Amino acid sequence: MKRIFTLLLALCLSPALWAAEGMWLPLMLKALQDDMQAHGMKLTAEEIYSVNQSSLKDAIVSFGGFCTGELISDQGLILTNHHCGYGAIQSHSSVQDDLLTNGFWARTKEEEKPNPSLFVTFIVRMEDVTEQVLQGLDPKLSETEREKQVSERIRQISQQATQGTHYKALIKPFFYGNEYYMFVTETYDDVRLVGTPPSSIGKFGGDTDNWMWPRHTGDFSLFRVYAGPDGKPAKYSPNNKPLKPKHHLPVSLEGVQEGDFTMVFGFPGRTQQYLTSHAVKILMEQTNPHRIDIRDKRLEILDRHMKANDTVRIQYASKYASVANYWKKWIGENRGLKQLNTLEEKRAQEQAFQQWAAQDPQRNEQYGKLLARFAELYQQQERVDLANNYHREALLGVELIKLAGTFNALASGSLPAAELSAGNNRFTTALERHFKDYNAAADKDVFVHMLLLYKQQVPQQFQPEPIRKLPTTEAGIRTYADKLYSQSVLASRQKMQEQLSTYDPKKTAARLRKDPGFVLYGAIQEVFEKQIAPVYAATDPELELLYRRYVAGLRQMQQDKLFYPDANSTLRVAYGKVGGYTPQDGVQYLPYTTLEGIMEKEDPSNEEFIVPERLKEIYRTKDYGPYATEDYMPVCFVASNHTTGGNSGSPVIDAKGRLIGLNFDRSWESTMSDVKYSPEICRNIAVDIRYVLLIIDKFAGATHLVEEMTLVDANTTVEIGGEVMGVH
Ligand code: ARG
Ligand code: ASP
């Protein structure tokens, strides 16, 4: 009786739980339409993604390849996160004109600021090309040979698909190469900065609030994409015209309620949902603890130097933030994986798989030995995991060592002189960028502590010769560091510039090969290439093959279940609903935050929590225009959409296809979702679009930008592809 009840309960619950998990390819939405509509969606799959007419997907772009953006006007206006536009905003900032601190709002199109290295990419169409890629391929091929043939086919299919056009085609493997999809893309290179709030809004809460709920960050910035006079992509030119997109998202003033259907469209970067228990064990017990420890130390030292010196504080702000971002993510990830009993659950699933395989001789032949082989290969990787992580995080975490890597071609003499003769080349640019934000004293201190930790943790056999010879004491390593940093050209901008201006392949290489910095780098690389990399080279291709079979087997075993492929920076749709959550026993979080909360967090003595005067004035006078509810001025909200890195800047869209928020983060308790998602706990964090509008309109007075948008409320209908959206 009890068992039947449990089963019934599982059946009742599973559709609702299942609904929130997954990052779906737009092509898969036809199969999900009923489920999405059952959860409140009013659109058809065709309105979300269509090959024949304009659809929601035409308003979504990959922003610079690392974030997502969306079109919100018929004049190419793009909304993305402040932390996605950060590089561009920083590049236009100087001490005299500091856009990061003050914000920036172009009053006219002429004032918008071009960004030569920025681009946005639209998906023109996508296609399942599995057949063409795999048809007739000999299943007995070695992985290397298979890879070769697959690449050649991909090249041909891409070429055919884009012949005579300015499009590019991207074909990627899904489900570890069980399926292949092609994305035909169109990239625009003229992307200009239109507006950004000051960091006190765009980065409010800083690293303290990063990955946290409740959140109060106005994490947005505005750009505009320009096209040539013919509407086609063109390099920057003052004669370019704002792009008229096929679709732009209408912006909703209606707001969000607990339980509302939401959808996130974007370019999630990487997830690993199908990892076996062996891999999860390494991640939880080796990789994450090691890299957390290493970054703990690095952050502690950077923090000390930043607090002691204002110049260093500014130079290292962005570096610190990026080191801290994943440090904090991994801590949360490990906690979440433990809390969900992921390891045990994976093991149980593997046992079920093994039993299922054993039930049938053919299946047994195909799948019976898979898991044992996984175990063997991961055992091999586990032996070098520590050394690998200390190589990547501790040694390459030292800026001097990293710079040696960037410039190693000069020390090896492999670089033709002609590459350096043109005044402005990638090496001068890299050098400029490195030394602009470099403090040798801070880096040397990082070096000392990274090496000390390295010597304490890494077995002797992996230690490069110059490091093995050092004493395992801070004083001993410091003596070595003092010498290294005073003698190596790598610690000095001027000496490095000299190397570039007098470059001669033979002579420079002869000189640099004796430089202690390059000597050290060479020794480090040698260990990596001889002892660490070969282990992965010998196991990764076979693991890929095993996963291909394992995932195929899982799908055969659970034929009623819809599987979604791991994120791989291709266009995806996640759907879920607005809702709070219980982070721990006895605590219940609301799904939204308000302007009250910003005032509660205000701390003029802490840079992360300064509230700009103008925002306080708006708060005092309640000058919220149409953007507040009767009771409060919304700021952020959470929902159960399955997202990951790369989804930053993604639109959060309501049941009718209207923009209600801008995705920018996940809660700390959610960060294990890259390996294991839980609908009860995992929440993506979005800034409420009404707060974005308040800042643009009331805070910045950039009302002309709001007027460009298509604002809608409960009574407005919106057209998409020539039809009224969401009415059937
Ligand atoms: N955690 C978010 C993401 O992974 C935001 C990072 C930027 N913000 C920050 N305070 N570092 O990208
Ligand atoms: N903050 C992430 C990003 O920049 C999003 C996430 O990891 O949830 O893409």
Side-chain angles (χ1 to χ4, degrees):
M1 186 62 201
K2 200 170 155 210
R3 262 178 57 199
I4 293 177
F5 179 72
T6 319
L7 193 73
L8 278 177
L9 194 71
L11 282 177
C12 297
L13 285 178
S14 58
L17 299 187
W18 167 78
E21 175 166 3
M23 304 170 174
W24 305 95
L25 281 165
L27 277 184
M28 297 172 166
L29 294 181
K30 285 226 159 63
L32 291 163
Q33 180 172 293
D34 287 351
D35 186 70
M36 292 173 91
Q37 290 179 346
H39 285 89
M41 189 183 67
K42 300 279 188 285
L43 304 177
T44 59
E46 183 79 3
E47 286 170 320
I48 301 173
Y49 173 83
S50 168
V51 214
N52 305 316
Q53 55 190 27
S54 67
S55 54
L56 274 192
K57 77 116 178 48
D58 295 314
I60 319 294
V61 289
S62 162
F63 185 84
F66 53 88
C67 274
T68 305
E70 53 275 3
L71 277 294
I72 54 167
S73 89
D74 61 2
Q75 299 170 50
L77 194 59
I78 286 179
L79 178 66
T80 188
N81 289 143
H82 182 263
H83 82 261
C84 296
Y86 204 82
I89 301 165
Q90 187 179 35
S91 75
H92 296 295
S93 295
S94 61
V95 178
Q96 297 77 22
D97 187 16
D98 185 353
L99 311 196
L100 283 173
T101 304
N102 305 323
F104 164 76
W105 304 94
R107 280 162 300 186
T108 60
K109 297 211 170 64
E110 286 67 39
E111 282 182 9
E112 297 174 359
K113 295 178 185 290
N115 304 285
S117 57
L118 203 57
F119 59 87
V120 297
T121 301
F122 288 87
I123 303 298
V124 180
R125 64 187 171 87
M126 59 176 295
E127 198 180 311
D128 182 349
V129 292
T130 311
E131 281 249 331
Q132 288 116 287
V133 175
L134 296 182
Q135 204 175 40
L137 213 61
D138 181 355
K140 298 219 162 51
L141 288 179
S142 74
E143 272 301 283
T144 340
E145 189 50 40
R146 179 189 194 266
E147 203 38 54
K148 234 162 92 198
Q149 297 200 14
V150 164
S151 303
E152 176 51 26
R153 290 180 182 193
I154 285 180
R155 201 187 56 74
Q156 287 172 8
I157 303 167
S158 311
Q159 204 178 25
Q160 264 173 18
T162 53
Q163 225 159 35
T165 71
H166 61 280
Y167 296 151
K168 285 210 179 83
L170 184 70
I171 298 180
K172 284 197 175 183
F174 291 75
F175 298 112
Y176 296 92
N178 279 304
E179 293 175 12
Y180 288 83
Y181 288 85
M182 173 169 71
F183 299 82
V184 176
T185 64
E186 184 175 36
T187 294
Y188 287 84
D189 295 308
D190 188 354
V191 180
R192 305 183 195 170
L193 176 65
V194 174
T196 172
S199 291
S200 53
I201 289 174
K203 211 184 164 198
F204 182 77
D207 287 315
T208 305
D209 272 7
N210 189 24
W211 298 114
M212 295 303 236
W213 183 255
R215 191 66 156 274
H216 298 85
T217 313
D219 195 345
F220 79 95
S221 58
L222 291 165
F223 288 79
R224 193 186 302 281
V225 50
Y226 282 77
D230 55 357
K232 295 229 170 77
K235 286 271 162 236
Y236 168 79
S237 153
N239 300 328
N240 285 349
K241 298 272 171 297
L243 174 77
K244 191 167 170 23
K246 286 197 215 105
H247 182 63
H248 65 273
L249 297 178
V251 177
S252 169
L253 287 174
E254 220 188 318
V256 292
Q257 303 287 333
E258 172 121 46
D260 279 357
F261 174 89
T262 60
M263 181 161 71
V264 170
F265 227 129
F267 293 85
R270 180 162 186 253
T271 59
Q272 301 176 287
Q273 313 287 337
Y274 300 103
L275 285 188
T276 66
S277 62
H278 324 93
V280 174
K281 185 167 182 286
I282 298 180
L283 179 69
M284 289 175 72
E285 294 175 6
Q286 304 279 335
T287 314
N288 275 347
H290 295 323
R291 49 193 190 183
I292 291 165
D293 285 353
I294 299 167
R295 288 201 179 188
D296 261 339
K297 197 73 207 171
R298 208 161 128 207
L299 288 167
E300 179 196 313
I301 291 155
L302 290 181
D303 185 56
R304 194 188 318 140
H305 283 267
M306 287 164 74
K307 288 220 168 91
N309 178 326
D310 249 11
T311 312
V312 180
R313 184 178 58 75
I314 294 169
Q315 283 178 323
Y316 280 73
S318 171
K319 288 186 222 179
Y320 186 94
S322 83
V323 178
N325 191 33
Y326 266 65
W327 164 78
K328 197 164 177 181
K329 192 241 174 190
W330 294 323
I331 296 175
E333 182 173 88
N334 250 22
R335 288 188 192 175
L337 290 172
K338 276 198 195 98
Q339 200 195 349
L340 292 182
N341 286 322
T342 310
L343 205 47
E344 291 71 20
E345 198 185 286
K346 292 260 176 192
R347 283 181 182 144
Q349 187 187 38
E350 286 158 16
Q351 216 171 13
F353 182 78
Q354 195 72 43
Q355 279 165 7
W356 169 81
Q359 282 161 11
D360 172 290
Q362 202 195 335
R363 286 206 304 248
N364 200 34
E365 164 88 24
Q366 247 179 318
Y367 304 120
K369 296 204 178 71
L370 275 188
L371 287 159
R373 187 63 187 148
F374 268 119
E376 282 168 13
L377 292 177
Y378 275 124
Q379 241 166 39
Q380 294 177 32
Q381 293 200 348
E382 190 165 5
R383 277 185 224 124
V384 291
D385 188 77
L386 181 140
N388 186 34
N389 280 299
Y390 272 81
H391 171 83
R392 285 171 198 281
E393 286 288 332
L395 300 180
L396 297 184
V398 176
E399 291 171 88
L400 180 136
I401 297 177
K402 215 165 162 195
L403 191 68
T406 315
F407 281 81
N408 203 35
L410 273 71
S412 66
S414 63
L415 189 76
E419 266 209 52
L420 283 183
S421 55
N424 205 3
N425 54 61
R426 67 194 161 102
F427 290 97
T428 49
T429 320
L431 206 60
E432 256 325 293
R433 197 174 298 153
H434 174 86
F435 280 104
K436 181 173 160 286
D437 291 327
Y438 184 67
N439 180 281
D443 189 41
K444 185 161 79 176
D445 214 8
V446 168
F447 177 90
V448 170
H449 286 93
M450 288 298 100
L451 256 70
L452 186 59
L453 199 60
Y454 184 90
K455 283 198 62 79
Q456 288 164 347
Q457 298 295 327
V458 179
Q460 288 248 344
Q461 78 200 78
F462 291 113
Q463 296 191 10
E465 170 81 10
I467 298 181
R468 192 171 349 119
K469 285 195 319 216
L470 292 177
T472 309
T473 62
E474 191 182 326
I477 297 174
R478 196 169 291 283
T479 310
Y480 171 76
D482 284 340
K483 225 164 106 190
L484 176 68
Y485 278 73
S486 66
Q487 287 177 358
S488 173
V489 296
L490 290 159
S492 149
R493 180 200 295 250
Q494 194 204 336
K495 286 187 201 160
M496 280 302 286
Q497 275 165 346
E498 262 168 43
Q499 300 306 315
L500 287 185
S501 58
T502 62
Y503 180 71
D504 168 279
K506 273 217 184 89
K507 284 186 202 151
T508 307
R511 216 168 32 229
L512 292 186
R513 248 179 275 148
K514 283 188 246 130
D515 182 281
F518 282 100
V519 169
L520 177 62
Y521 178 77
I524 290 172
Q525 266 322 92
E526 193 180 323
V527 168
F528 181 75
E529 274 156 26
K530 288 209 171 125
Q531 296 191 59
I532 300 174
V535 175
Y536 291 98
T539 46
D540 276 340
E542 191 181 342
L543 279 171
E544 184 74 11
L545 169 73
L546 295 185
Y547 273 116
R548 188 176 316 129
R549 295 212 181 117
Y550 182 50
V551 172
L554 285 174
R555 293 174 81 179
Q556 196 183 334
M557 177 170 119
Q558 298 163 272
Q559 290 186 10
D560 296 337
K561 188 176 154 183
L562 273 177
F563 281 70
Y564 61 94
D566 273 321
N568 59 357
S569 297
T570 55
L571 185 63
R572 303 295 178 94
V573 177
Y575 62 100
K577 57 177 193 239
V578 177
Y581 66 106
T582 295
Q584 64 196 68
D585 185 39
V587 180
Q588 175 79 49
Y589 283 149
L590 293 180
Y592 63 88
T593 58
T594 72
L595 199 51
E596 287 304 323
I598 293 184
M599 300 313 300
E600 274 173 19
K601 282 182 178 171
E602 183 191 15
D603 178 359
S605 69
N606 180 347
E607 202 205 6
E608 292 183 324
F609 293 98
I610 291 168
V611 180
E613 193 42 49
R614 172 74 191 125
L615 189 58
K616 287 198 264 190
E617 190 180 313
I618 292 173
Y619 171 75
R620 278 195 301 268
T621 56
K622 294 209 176 346
D623 180 18
Y624 303 146
Y627 309 124
T629 72
E630 274 172 26
D631 306 314
Y632 59 89
M633 178 59 225
V635 175
C636 290
F637 66 88
V638 280
S640 59
N641 303 287
H642 191 179
T643 55
T644 188
N647 267 127
S648 277
S650 294
V652 183
I653 297 170
D654 72 2
K656 294 181 186 162
R658 309 171 309 176
L659 185 66
I660 50 176
L662 175 65
N663 187 69
F664 69 98
D665 209 1
R666 278 169 288 166
S667 70
W668 207 17
E669 298 84 6
S670 315
T671 47
M672 74 306 202
S673 68
D674 292 346
V675 175
K676 179 72 199 160
Y677 175 90
S678 155
E680 284 89 11
I681 308 173
C682 293
R683 295 293 177 269
N684 65 309
I685 307 180
V687 46
D688 194 301
I689 204 65
R690 291 167 296 175
Y691 183 57
V692 171
L693 294 172
L694 179 89
I695 299 301
I696 299 175
D697 186 356
K698 299 288 180 175
F699 176 85
T703 310
H704 60 289
L705 295 174
V706 177
E707 282 164 359
E708 235 188 275
M709 305 173 197
T710 307
L711 297 190
V712 294
D713 59 22
N715 303 317
T716 335
T717 50
V718 184
E719 286 190 12
I720 181 167
E723 290 190 35
V724 176
M725 193 162 61
V727 179
H728 307 282

